[in-house]
Amino acid sequence: MIQRVANAALLLIAVLVLNFTMMHLAPGDIADTISQSMGGADATVMQQIRAEYGLDQPFLFQLKTYITKVLHFDLGYSYFYNQPVTTLILEKLPATLLLVISAQLLALVLGILMGVYAARNRNGFFSFLVTLFALLGYSAPVFWTGILLLIAFSLKIQWFPVAGMVDVTISGGFFTRALDIAHHLFLPMITLASIFIALYSRLCRASVMEVLGTDYVRTAKAKGLPERSVVYKHALRNALAPVVTLAGLQFSAVVSGAVLVETVFSWPGLGSLALQSIIARDTPTILGILFFSALVVIVGNLLTDIVLRMLDPRIASKG
Amino acid sequence: MTTESPSPIKARHPAADAIAMFFKNIPAVVALIVLTAIILAGIFGPIFYAADPYDMVWAPFSPPGEEGFIFGTDYLGRDLFAGILHGARVSLLVGLSAAAMTVFIGVTIGALAGFFQGWVEEVLMRITEFFQVLPTLLFSMVIVALFGASLPVITLAIGLVSWPAVARITRAEFLSIRQLEYVTASRASGMKPFGLMFSIILPNAAPPIIVQTALMVGSAILFEAGLSFLGLTDPNVVSWGQIIGSNRPYILDAGYTVTLPGVAIFITVLCLSLIGDGLNDALNPKLRQR
């Protein structure tokens, strides 16, 4: 496990190196951005700005400075928002985390339930429906699904709010506010989860079917255990391992999907911030978001590892 | 000498078997026909239906079917049908070339890692892991933002972020195939490593890679649609995602302007998934019992 954490730290540093290299390779630098916002500057002023930000130093030296700064939680300064990038990101991170985690959990729970049911009734109509739903969920662009749900359930039938995360006109205690956020969260969460419910239910169906054919399940059945207990206590634990592994691999896709879903529902998270800062050509913020989202994925992968170890202690002994 | 063998057992090429199997899968065949129609529409449609998708031809938000516009007009009064026809070209072109790039990078890295093992594998798999940690869409958004929104950059961005899945599959295949006897035999007969890799192992590792390629085209199309929906696309070309993105503010007045291009993406990707499933069944007969 310690090795996994060390590996994760190494990955993060690699992300930083990549970030910095891209910033370096991209046409234009901070001096250009600043001079643009000043309405143009002559060569001497440009030189001054470059010296001030250390842009005249050698590449590796600049890289070292950048990494040291990030390790002190300093991701630079956004000239567009006039705020440190870290502050900007930490402000938006909770909204994205809420969306990503709730969608991932919903997709896992529903995907597993549907998969198990479909595997137990493998030739039934529901099993067919799960396969069909998996295909449809995978093929529909997530932003389109979001817009269709938005048209149906916010504009035509006005059950859910059209945009945002909180209703500023609602005041009240913690419970009222939580309920309001949940009300706003519902459609974005369903939209984002729809892709992954499809993936997980399909894999879970295959995996449970495979486990149900093994000898130890036959033994459990033969000693007279009720069907439910065989499926949920004996088979599911082993069948879940591939599903959890897949869910871990999907973390980066969930974060990616969140960008689109946030845009559709005007959810005030990192995705919306990323898009705005790309339009504004605010490079420090963009790269800061890339770093933080990689951090979210890495932490998600570590959590997946822990869950896998709990499901199957053999993994832990293998190292 | 004629080689007419009297043997009653006909030995068929395995590919012929696979093709026969594929054509027994009705959904996959239907998908193949529909996809071919979409591709033909993308190639020849704009020639026969000469309307310019950027031309303002009629009042905005004319509903589908009225005034001779099959799919109606968008928020600027542009012909939506022309937009979708022209969009097919871009979406398919970017999808196919990005998938080709994905497969090229993925197969190369996976093959090298699986064949040479040792430190080569260690280094390449670390790189793969690294690319899997970066959220794909965000990473490609950053590339497009920094290096400009043109079709080549977009294709490159999609290819650069999607290859890890292909690399993993290829590596796994190479790891298991390289231990088989026919590989040892070829090695013993003095074959060079690259000959072994590409003329002996790769053809035998091809089936899962082919299946993955079909799925990759689909996901590249979805990817391009996502990017252009966000507005990160060449402003001078129409694509399906871009139509949805630019018409999004008007969904209350004219839902069809986002619904129809979405249906186009959906059907195309669905066809590719079905074809992928069909190929999977045809190429991995072992899995058919599932």
Side-chain angles (χ1 to χ4, degrees):
Chain A
M1 197 66 213
I2 295 166
Q3 204 195 340
R4 299 286 309 181
V5 175
N7 194 17
L10 216 78
L11 277 176
L12 266 185
I13 293 191
V15 174
L16 285 179
V17 175
L18 175 89
N19 257 354
F20 188 77
T21 316
M22 285 204 298
M23 195 152 59
H24 212 82
L25 287 177
D29 60 5
I30 302 174
D32 291 316
T33 319
I34 296 175
S35 65
Q36 227 167 43
S37 65
M38 294 191 311
D42 60 27
T44 27
V45 179
M46 292 288 275
Q47 209 60 50
Q48 248 175 0
I49 299 173
R50 291 212 168 95
E52 203 171 310
Y53 286 95
L55 296 177
D56 50 356
Q57 304 288 331
F59 176 78
L60 282 178
F61 183 81
Q62 284 189 49
L63 178 64
K64 202 194 98 201
T65 325
Y66 177 71
I67 292 180
T68 330
K69 270 169 77 181
V70 174
L71 293 181
H72 290 93
F73 299 104
D74 178 7
L75 284 167
Y77 193 82
S78 160
Y79 297 94
F80 181 69
Y81 294 98
N82 262 325
Q83 266 181 33
V85 172
T86 319
T87 320
L88 261 176
I89 290 177
L90 288 181
E91 207 173 274
K92 305 280 187 185
L93 188 64
T96 295
L97 283 182
L98 180 66
L99 178 62
V100 165
I101 293 172
S102 62
Q104 179 78 301
L105 284 180
L106 179 76
L108 267 174
V109 170
L110 280 182
I112 291 169
L113 288 178
M114 284 166 64
V116 169
Y117 190 85
R120 289 179 68 185
N121 312 283
R122 65 177 69 184
N123 293 320
F125 181 64
F126 190 79
S127 189
F128 167 74
L129 274 189
V130 167
T131 317
L132 187 73
F133 180 72
L135 265 173
L136 300 184
Y138 173 79
S139 308
V142 65
F143 56 91
W144 183 65
T145 317
I147 293 178
L148 292 187
L149 287 175
L150 192 72
I151 294 178
F153 296 109
S154 298
L155 298 174
K156 300 277 189 239
I157 320 172
Q158 296 176 346
W159 283 350
F160 295 100
V162 178
M165 185 164 115
V166 284
D167 188 340
V168 282
T169 59
I170 291 181
S171 61
F174 173 78
F175 189 71
T176 335
R177 276 167 47 204
L179 207 66
D180 179 43
I181 291 180
H183 190 211
H184 282 81
L185 177 65
F186 190 78
L187 281 185
M189 177 179 74
I190 296 275
T191 308
L192 186 53
S194 68
I195 328 168
F196 302 99
I197 296 175
L199 270 178
Y200 301 158
S201 63
R202 190 172 164 168
L203 181 67
C204 186
R205 173 171 168 270
S207 166
V208 169
M209 275 178 170
E210 194 170 312
V211 172
L212 284 181
T214 56
D215 287 342
Y216 74 89
V217 168
R218 195 171 306 130
T219 311
K221 274 187 195 158
K223 72 180 182 185
L225 285 179
E227 168 95 22
R228 281 187 84 79
S229 154
V230 172
V231 171
Y232 288 103
K233 281 197 184 144
H234 294 243
L236 191 57
R237 194 180 167 122
N238 278 299
L240 277 187
V243 181
V244 173
T245 309
L246 178 71
L249 283 173
Q250 291 300 321
F251 253 106
S252 93
V254 181
V255 175
S256 290
V259 177
L260 294 166
V261 173
E262 283 180 11
T263 311
V264 171
F265 292 96
S266 312
W267 187 258
L270 282 186
S272 304
L273 181 68
L275 189 61
Q276 283 158 17
S277 38
I278 280 177
I279 293 168
R281 304 208 143 272
D282 183 2
T283 315
T285 311
I286 301 171
L287 294 179
I289 293 171
L290 191 63
F291 171 73
F292 259 87
S293 51
L295 186 68
V296 171
V297 175
I298 289 174
V299 173
N301 285 346
L302 282 177
L303 290 178
T304 316
D305 248 36
I306 294 172
V307 175
L308 270 180
R309 270 153 214 260
M310 279 170 13
L311 279 175
D312 187 351
R314 281 174 303 180
I315 299 173
S317 60
K318 266 187 241 158
Chain B
M1 196 180 103
T2 52
T3 52
E4 272 175 46
S5 72
S7 161
I9 304 162
K10 269 198 273 177
R12 282 195 299 172
H13 194 273
D17 261 356
I19 291 170
M21 187 86 80
F22 181 86
F23 279 97
K24 276 186 202 148
N25 184 334
I26 296 166
V29 174
V30 173
L32 188 64
I33 295 170
V34 174
L35 187 69
T36 313
I38 294 173
I39 293 174
L40 290 178
I43 297 173
F44 299 109
I47 300 170
F48 292 110
Y49 191 85
D52 183 347
Y54 277 110
D55 228 9
M56 291 172 221
V57 286
W58 192 249
F61 305 132
S62 161
E66 284 178 25
E67 313 295 343
F69 299 110
I70 311 174
F71 286 173
T73 56
D74 74 351
Y75 72 109
L76 288 176
R78 300 180 294 198
D79 186 349
L80 200 61
F81 184 66
I84 290 178
L85 268 187
H86 282 260
R89 267 189 186 183
V90 174
S91 298
L92 290 169
L93 186 71
V94 173
L96 285 174
S97 38
M101 196 167 152
T102 305
V103 172
F104 178 74
I105 304 177
V107 166
T108 311
I109 290 195
L112 289 172
F115 186 82
F116 288 112
Q117 298 176 308
W119 67 268
V120 178
E121 184 184 20
E122 181 74 14
V123 169
L124 290 176
M125 282 299 113
R126 278 294 155 87
I127 295 175
T128 312
E129 199 182 336
F130 169 68
F131 274 89
Q132 266 180 330
V133 162
L134 293 165
T136 45
L137 185 71
L138 260 178
F139 186 26
S140 56
M141 279 166 76
V142 172
I143 297 175
V144 172
L146 292 181
F147 299 100
S150 64
L151 290 187
V153 172
I154 291 169
T155 310
L156 194 83
I158 299 174
L160 209 58
V161 301
S162 329
W163 59 266
V166 182
R168 284 186 178 271
I169 290 171
T170 312
R171 168 176 162 265
E173 285 298 306
F174 266 65
L175 282 179
S176 63
I177 293 176
R178 78 188 294 279
Q179 295 170 346
L180 297 179
E181 278 150 4
Y182 60 80
V183 178
T184 316
S186 311
R187 193 196 301 270
S189 66
M191 209 161 191
K192 296 270 182 334
F194 282 90
L196 274 177
M197 274 169 71
F198 293 108
S199 61
I200 303 290
I201 303 182
L202 190 58
N204 289 291
I209 300 173
I210 293 172
V211 173
Q212 191 67 22
T213 306
L215 298 177
M216 276 297 154
V217 179
S219 71
I221 289 176
L222 284 179
F223 216 115
E224 189 275 334
L227 281 175
S228 48
F229 166 73
L230 293 173
L232 297 171
T233 183
D234 189 336
N236 301 314
V237 292
V238 196
S239 77
W240 291 335
Q242 184 244 335
I243 301 177
I244 299 180
S246 60
N247 281 294
R248 190 167 70 92
Y250 314 100
I251 45 175
L252 193 55
D253 304 309
Y256 64 89
T257 53
V258 295
T259 315
L260 293 174
V263 170
I265 304 173
F266 177 60
I267 291 178
T268 310
V269 180
L270 183 63
C271 285
L272 284 159
S273 312
L274 288 171
I275 293 171
D277 274 4
L279 285 173
N280 196 26
D281 291 349
L283 296 169
N284 294 328
K286 268 176 280 173
L287 290 176
R288 255 176 300 148
Q289 289 93 330
R290 281 198 191 166

